[in-house]
Amino acid sequence: MFTKESFEVISCTDIPRVSLLKGTLKQLSGRELMLDTDEDTQETLYSGDVFEAIACELAEMEGSPLLPSQEVIDQIDNLAEVIETELVRIVAI
């Protein structure tokens, strides 16, 4: 029998796909933990520290011609600072 103690609560932040820049979505590509293939929901699940990991990688590429635009870097840095949940879900609206 299950009890409330049988489960672990995990925190998740939902981000509407339309609020992310194309370059940010490109940086997320290949980092998915889960991809919902249902055409109606199209949700993608990522680790909560995905933006922090990307920001660190981009910082190491300073001066490289492969860096995305400053606007994309700024959005990723901002998300890395504000997201404190264990998971991030990108949702279609």
Side-chain angles (χ1 to χ4, degrees):
M1 173 179 273
F2 290 106
T3 65
K4 288 184 179 184
E5 290 76 27
S6 301
F7 302 100
E8 181 179 344
V9 176
I10 297 176
S11 58
C12 184
T13 299
D14 286 348
I15 302 174
R17 181 176 301 279
V18 297
S19 67
L20 296 175
L21 299 169
K22 287 182 183 180
T24 299
L25 292 170
K26 184 177 179 182
Q27 292 296 319
L28 288 168
S29 180
R31 299 173 188 263
E32 302 88 355
L33 295 177
M34 183 203 75
L35 178 62
D36 181 359
T37 57
D38 185 320
E39 290 182 20
D40 293 331
T41 56
Q42 297 179 353
E43 297 176 346
T44 311
L45 196 63
Y46 298 90
S47 171
D49 64 354
V50 67
F51 293 108
E52 186 176 341
I54 295 170
C56 289
E57 290 172 12
L58 294 177
E60 291 177 10
M61 295 175 58
E62 190 173 335
S64 170
L66 301 176
L67 273 175
S69 70
Q70 188 61 48
E71 186 178 27
V72 170
I73 292 170
D74 290 345
Q75 185 175 60
I76 290 170
D77 285 343
N78 175 248
L79 290 165
E81 288 178 25
V82 298
I83 293 177
E84 297 179 352
T85 56
E86 296 162 297
L87 298 172
V88 173
R89 182 172 49 194
I90 308 300
V91 297
I93 299 284

